[in-house]
Amino acid sequence: MKKNKAFLFLLPGLVFLFLFMIIPIVLIIRSTFSDQGQISFNGYMEFFKNKYFIQILINTLKVSLLTTLLCIVISLPVAYYIAKLHGRIKSVLIGLSVFPLLTSAIVRSFSWMIILGKKGLLNELLLNLHLIKEPLNLLYTPTSMIIGLVHLFLPLMIISLVGVMENISDDLVQAAESLGASRFVAFRKIIFPLCVPGLIIGSILVFVGSLTAYTTPALLGGKEQVISVYLYQNAMTLNDWHTASSVATIMVAVTFTIVGLMNLAANKLNSRG
Amino acid sequence: MKQHNPVLALFTILTFIFLLGPLAIIIVTSFGADSYLSFPPKSWSFHWYRHIFETEGFLSTFKTSMIVSIIGNLIALLVGLPAAYALSRYPFWGKKFLNSLFISPLLIPGIVLGFALLKYVIVAYQFSIYTGLLIGHAIIMLPFIIRVIASSLANFDFSIEEAAISLGASRFATFFKVVLPNIRSGLIAAVVLAFLESFNNVDISIFMTGPGVSTLPIQMLQYVQNYFDPTIAAISVLMMLLTAALMYVIERLMGLSYFTKN
């Protein structure tokens, strides 16, 4: 009786997701494995021989990895600092991290166009200081894309880490310090291992987010292609829906593999710890 | 027992300058009088704010964005509220799997979902572009609706509901008169968060533009790729004001610690 009721309440949501998300995506994946009604892997054989596409895939993975690492390195000390604060300053800093998170990606990428452009803030500054003679090409490069992505995803990592660090008792650190450990050693041996679950969740969010981001690479990346922009161009500019479908399938496969692997790592750490 | 580490404090300040400085620069440039983006502007004006309303497309796409985000929100509530209720109220087999299924729109790359909706919902199922937009936005709002409402239902004492029913209230009336008022703040926060997610969305909307149909972010994206004047800075300031106002609502309802508790 209870079971039926639960099912009844879940039904509308399930039907909705099946009709408009799951079936369309499954159909896209299936379409890439068929060639005139026959099951075939030819499409993918061709695909992975295509040097241009491989390059895009590698670029995307590289950019996402670098973005994730930069976010981790910057967030660890910042989150540690915020987690140890109390009262009003702490809520203000959390609020200041949440605000960019809720702000449009277009707005945030656009701000870097003002800063990094040929006549942008940074170039003007460097020219006025006579540090450079010619304006630098900063915008529309891999560097500007990575800066934009770090700016986009840093708050997510900070917030994930503050969440776990808050639960680490001050006493642990003090005990370590009173036993003679330096501040840094205490951080490395006590705080850091306890942060790993938050670090994994944050890394999944940032890595998958950068891997699939469209707006920031489209605005800041210039000629540097990433996989999501490649999908969009094939679908909408070149009208090559077959290639777009294969790219979509590869994106889904890569995303799920990464999330699966990281979850596996998290579970292993949990069962050990 | 407060220990202040000046290096750590300085690093934190620099990080927040990196995060918020660019947004401050947008605000300053939006008041510039020059016809190109410069910082700091040489003279000041409100010209670019007026320009938003004089330029074709911004007002109409803003309207579309509002309609899509509000109606899409209602659709997501309609299918999401009962689901969140069932997931919190009843024990059943496969609950963990269903939980992840309802959160999965967050994991599927937006650009893939957008393309899938275009290829099947619009081209194959023959829905209109506008309907496609509503469906797509409802899908991406669903995880927010379900997650936030389920987390407030987790704190709800269902024995109150039993009490109302044993006193003769119908299940339906109980839900609207007892359960909903108790999770009111979670409900509003869920709607606000979902609204922001939808209002800022690019990945889905970019596949669903057609004659007379486009959302504000897509219009902004196209404008930025063609013109380099402070109009977008002015719109950005208005969008940041909206974001700040809605964030204030969330803060009042559940506190911002909601964000760090996931």
Side-chain angles (χ1 to χ4, degrees), chain A residues 127-138:
Chain A
L127 283 171
N128 284 337
L129 292 172
H130 299 285
L131 286 172
I132 50 170
K133 289 204 178 71
E134 302 252 304
L136 300 171
N137 264 327
L138 298 165

Side-chain angles (χ1 to χ4, degrees), chain B residues 3-35:
Chain B
Q3 306 163 316
H4 256 291
N5 184 337
V7 183
L8 214 53
L10 183 70
F11 188 79
T12 304
I13 293 170
L14 288 176
T15 304
F16 277 97
I17 292 177
F18 169 73
L19 278 180
L20 302 167
L23 301 179
I25 288 169
I26 290 190
I27 299 176
V28 175
T29 27
S30 76
F31 295 108
D34 314 320
S35 62

Side-chain angles (χ1 to χ4, degrees), chain A residues 4-265:
Chain A
N4 288 340
K5 215 167 253 156
F7 181 70
L8 212 66
F9 286 135
L10 290 164
L11 196 63
L14 288 177
V15 170
F16 189 72
L17 281 186
F18 264 96
L19 269 185
F20 299 121
M21 185 181 85
I22 296 171
I23 293 177
I25 287 179
V26 169
L27 286 177
I28 280 200
I29 295 174
R30 211 191 57 173
S31 77
T32 63
F33 288 106
S34 81
D35 190 10
Q36 279 137 21
Q38 302 270 311
I39 294 178
S40 137
F41 295 93
N42 284 345
Y44 287 97
M45 301 295 257
E46 291 289 307
F47 223 72
F48 284 105
K49 272 188 218 145
N50 181 346
K51 283 219 176 78
Y52 183 60
F53 174 72
I54 297 291
Q55 196 55 52
I56 290 175
L57 191 60
I58 291 174
N59 279 348
T60 314
L61 288 169
K62 244 199 249 170
V63 165
S64 311
L65 190 66
L66 209 57
T67 304
T68 312
L69 289 177
L70 281 169
C71 283
I72 291 176
V73 170
I74 301 172
S75 300
L76 273 172
V78 173
Y80 182 60
Y81 185 76
I82 296 178
K84 285 191 95 182
L85 288 172
H86 297 279
R88 198 160 177 81
I89 311 180
K90 184 176 184 178
S91 353
V92 169
L93 287 184
I94 290 178
L96 290 179
S97 321
V98 172
F99 179 70
L101 202 63
L102 299 178
T103 303
S104 154
I106 299 181
V107 172
R108 299 172 62 198
S109 304
F110 174 69
S111 70
W112 288 100
M113 295 173 83
I114 304 179
I115 297 170
L116 299 174
K118 260 255 157 81
K119 286 182 183 164
L121 175 63
L122 196 63
N123 268 324
E124 294 282 320
L125 192 75
L126 293 174
L127 283 171
N128 284 337
L129 292 172
H130 299 285
L131 286 172
I132 50 170
K133 289 204 178 71
E134 302 252 304
L136 300 171
N137 264 327
L138 298 165
L139 195 55
Y140 311 128
T141 62
T143 315
S144 63
M145 182 157 58
I146 291 170
I147 293 176
L149 287 170
V150 171
H151 188 237
L152 198 64
F153 290 116
L154 190 59
L156 212 54
M157 185 69 96
I158 293 178
I159 287 167
S160 306
L161 285 179
V162 169
V164 284
M165 283 181 179
E166 271 177 339
N167 297 327
I168 299 172
S169 151
D170 275 349
D171 301 346
L172 275 178
V173 185
Q174 276 163 31
E177 282 176 14
S178 72
L179 290 171
S182 71
R183 189 73 72 72
F184 181 70
V185 170
F187 182 85
R188 195 168 56 98
K189 296 234 159 151
I190 294 171
I191 310 264
F192 185 76
L194 289 170
C195 290
V196 170
L199 212 54
I200 290 180
I201 293 175
S203 302
I204 293 179
L205 294 173
V206 174
F207 191 86
V208 170
S210 332
L211 194 74
T212 59
Y214 173 81
T215 312
T216 304
L219 284 179
L220 303 177
K223 283 205 194 95
E224 186 71 15
Q225 283 258 22
V226 293
I227 192 163
S228 53
V229 178
Y230 187 65
L231 193 166
Y232 176 77
Q233 284 176 348
N234 273 293
M236 303 302 274
T237 319
L238 305 171
N239 259 317
D240 180 354
W241 282 20
H242 192 75
T243 304
S245 300
S246 306
V247 178
T249 305
I250 292 169
M251 272 180 95
V252 171
V254 172
T255 309
F256 278 75
T257 310
I258 286 161
V259 173
L261 284 178
M262 287 181 128
N263 270 330
L264 211 68

Side-chain angles (χ1 to χ4, degrees), chain B residues 4 7-8 30 41 43 45-46 51-53 55 63 67 70 87 94 96 110 129 145 154 157 207 212 239 253 258:
Chain B
H4 256 291
V7 183
L8 214 53
S30 76
S43 52
S45 94
F46 279 104
H51 195 243
I52 300 174
F53 299 94
T55 311
K63 236 189 249 163
I67 294 171
I70 290 170
L87 287 169
K96 217 173 162 191
I129 293 178
I145 296 281
D157 181 1
F207 288 97
M239 285 181 81
L253 290 171
Y258 163 75

